[in-house]
Amino acid sequence: MSAEFSKEAAARYADDSRGRFETALREIVEIPTISVEPEHKPDMARGARYAADLLASMGAKARVYETGGHPLVHGRFETGAGRPTVTIYNHLDVQPAEGPDWRTEPFRFTREGDTYFGRGTTDDKGPAISALFGAKYAADNGARVNIDFLWELEEEIGSPHFESTIRDHAADFATGSIVVCDTVWVSRKHPACPAGLRGLQGFRFTLRTGETDQHSGTAGGAARNPQAEICELISQCMDAKTGRVKIPGFYDDVVKPTKQELEDMKKSGFTTREFKKDHLLKSLRVDDPLEVMKRIWMMPTFEVHGIAGGYTGPGVKTIIPPSATAIVSCRLVPNMKPKKIAKLVKDFVKSKNPDVEVWSEHALPGYSAKTTGPYADAIKASMKFAFGKEPVFVREGGSIGAVLSMESVLKAPVYFLGLSLPEHGYHAPNENYDWQQARGGMMAFAEYFRRVGEL
């Protein structure tokens, strides 16, 4: 290892870069890139332009690609022809941020000691900029690898234009391997990398039994109540206390975890107490740590997100509503097929209540990640270089639609090097990121690029 890539030199670079890092994070966090809200479309374009300018200011060639929706940003550190190329994926769009639980203004960057508050700080702008600073160090210090960045601005809405855009410009995005920097450790005490992602199949159940609200005193007892019937239907689909899905065949394709996966989970640093604290939960369905981890990473789910219909204002309005809608989704594990689950759910619902309309939405398969080979070994060594411990391979309970698209279109293996922590509050009020993870991220990515250049 050259002197430039010693741990001490990389740490010194990170510390010297802190002011510039915080400025960049401040400026991009204060652009409200809320992809789901149409009124923020100008902010999406502004965020993309800022991101391209930031890449260029660090020495990368940068371009903004129009997609038919929100833009896509691509940057490249070109170090030499014939060298391998590695692509780092992040997203720069964010969830909405409203409500009384925010202690600071969500789109005003706030530093409290070593912690940075603001929507997007950890999901996913802070990790993106950490990786960028690591790339700058690697490129300036002789890493023999070309480093690309692919920054999406539609991840939070399901990446509707991502795959078609990278397919249309596949030659521009050609790469030898991909690293996704959009995942969460289990505990600050131990680095963790996902060995898989859960997929998703969304649904909308709608039941209409009338045309207008009806007085419960004149029609109640004879009129059907769609709100009550939707509640009954959901209870037929799943046991609310245990989470067990009652739909026949739902679990047929679930693959049991291996002994090695279970051992890695046991070493991950996960505790039920910290999980409840990080997610502000008063209680769980189960308390055994291993069982909780299996449920959030390795088992499918049936979740109810909302039931709409009827009266929800102050006081009591004694009406029977004409319709009701339930929004639900199933998280899927690798080997489960969204189309198969959609058919199972639709057939089951129709067997219980033929009048319910079932709409399928947001289909995405699960993903099995690679945990062996030279790239995985480089990630393990790089995280140990930066954080002092090799990562354990666990699973990620969420979904990242771009992963399957990149592997399919770019024909390159996908790996994961995430930097966020459970306490950082993905999608939650008071979302935050911290200097310890940013600093370690710069060092880990710099070392990773060095190692890939030597493969």
Side-chain angles (χ1 to χ4, degrees):
M1 182 186 299
S2 68
E4 290 79 8
F5 273 95
S6 68
K7 186 169 184 176
E8 293 75 17
R12 190 163 54 249
Y13 161 79
D15 291 335
D16 290 344
S17 301
R18 181 170 183 174
R20 190 175 181 190
F21 169 83
E22 291 177 353
T23 296
L25 185 58
R26 174 189 300 277
E27 290 174 347
I28 199 165
V29 162
E30 293 187 352
I31 302 174
T33 49
I34 307 172
S35 52
V36 74
E37 295 181 353
E39 61 267 31
H40 285 285
K41 188 173 179 62
D43 294 316
M44 306 306 294
R46 186 159 61 97
R49 288 195 303 272
Y50 176 83
D53 289 344
L54 177 62
L55 284 159
S57 74
M58 300 286 277
K61 297 178 182 177
R63 178 179 170 185
V64 175
Y65 289 79
E66 298 303 326
T67 70
H70 301 313
L72 181 69
V73 181
H74 182 253
R76 181 174 178 83
F77 288 90
E78 182 78 54
T79 68
R83 291 179 173 178
T85 297
V86 59
T87 296
I88 309 302
Y89 167 89
N90 293 84
H91 67 88
L92 302 181
D93 62 321
V94 301
Q95 287 280 314
E98 68 280 327
D101 294 327
W102 279 88
R103 294 192 297 104
T104 64
E105 289 292 327
F107 292 105
R108 178 169 294 173
F109 178 88
T110 303
R111 174 181 168 180
E112 295 182 5
D114 287 340
T115 302
Y116 313 119
F117 289 91
R119 176 61 88 216
T121 48
T122 202
D123 184 22
D124 186 28
K125 295 174 178 180
I129 299 175
S130 301
L132 174 59
F133 274 76
K136 169 69 172 171
Y137 181 78
D140 287 350
N141 286 279
R144 295 188 291 272
V145 61
N146 298 310
I147 306 166
D148 283 14
F149 284 87
L150 200 50
W151 286 347
E152 185 186 5
L153 282 98
E154 291 190 331
E155 192 275 340
E156 298 289 7
I157 55 173
S159 303
H161 300 94
F162 182 80
E163 183 166 322
S164 60
T165 302
I166 64 171
R167 180 177 287 111
D168 290 345
H169 302 279
D172 295 351
F173 302 144
T175 187
S177 65
I178 299 160
V179 177
V180 172
C181 184
D182 181 26
T183 55
V184 187
W185 295 13
V186 180
S187 164
R188 185 186 291 274
K189 298 175 183 177
H190 204 130
C193 290
L197 303 170
R198 287 198 292 192
L200 181 70
Q201 177 61 67
F203 298 97
R204 187 178 296 267
F205 303 159
T206 299
L207 176 61
R208 177 169 286 278
T209 60
E211 296 298 328
T212 62
D213 289 349
Q214 294 297 318
H215 194 295
S216 65
T218 58
R224 293 173 65 183
N225 189 311
Q227 199 89 341
E229 290 188 34
I230 284 288
C231 291
E232 179 188 43
L233 174 63
I234 289 171
S235 71
Q236 292 169 327
C237 290
M238 58 93 73
D239 185 319
K241 290 187 177 180
T242 66
R244 183 75 183 175
V245 182
K246 301 177 183 179
I247 299 169
F250 186 82
Y251 294 102
D252 285 357
D253 297 323
V254 176
V255 178
K256 292 183 179 180
T258 65
K259 289 183 179 180
Q260 183 60 55
E261 287 175 322
L262 293 175
E263 286 302 313
D264 276 351
M265 287 195 293
K266 290 176 182 177
K267 294 186 294 185
S268 69
F270 180 94
T271 68
T272 303
R273 181 180 62 83
E274 288 298 321
F275 180 77
K276 289 193 291 187
K277 178 183 175 183
D278 292 338
H279 297 281
L280 304 179
L281 300 171
K282 294 182 178 180
S283 60
L284 302 172
R285 285 172 171 153
V286 293
D287 289 319
D288 177 70
L290 187 59
E291 180 62 23
V292 174
M293 285 186 278
K294 288 195 295 186
R295 284 173 175 246
I296 62 175
W297 297 332
M298 296 183 165
M299 292 297 293
T301 65
F302 183 102
E303 297 290 358
V304 183
H305 307 301
I307 299 177
Y311 179 70
T312 58
V316 178
K317 184 181 180 183
T318 56
I319 55 94
I320 298 170
S323 65
T325 295
I327 300 170
V328 305
S329 75
C330 299
R331 290 286 176 178
L332 311 180
V333 294
N335 210 45
M336 296 178 76
K337 304 295 189 293
K339 284 186 179 180
K340 179 178 179 180
I341 295 302
K343 186 176 188 307
L344 285 176
V345 171
K346 185 172 184 178
D347 290 349
F348 182 80
V349 168
K350 288 294 185 180
S351 75
K352 297 299 181 182
N353 194 327
D355 295 332
V356 173
E357 293 185 87
V358 181
W359 307 92
S360 299
E361 303 175 350
H362 307 302
L364 181 68
Y367 181 76
S368 294
K370 299 168 180 63
T371 61
T372 59
Y375 292 105
D377 290 344
I379 284 176
K380 288 191 288 186
S382 299
M383 294 189 84
K384 184 176 182 180
F385 171 87
F387 295 102
K389 294 181 180 179
E390 277 194 3
V392 291
F393 287 101
V394 292
R395 297 278 188 96
E396 184 84 5
S399 310
I400 305 173
V403 168
L404 290 163
S405 296
M406 289 187 292
E407 187 173 73
S408 172
V409 175
L410 302 180
K411 310 298 182 186
V414 180
Y415 301 88
F416 298 84
L417 200 170
L419 299 173
S420 298
L421 301 175
E423 59 263 37
H424 286 163
Y426 257 54
H427 293 195
N430 306 309
E431 179 183 345
N432 63 92
Y433 191 53
D434 63 72
W435 173 242
Q436 180 177 331
Q437 293 303 106
R439 180 180 189 267
M442 294 179 197
M443 296 169 62
F445 272 100
E447 176 68 2
Y448 179 73
F449 298 133
R450 182 191 72 82
R451 287 179 174 271
V452 171
E454 294 182 356
L455 291 178

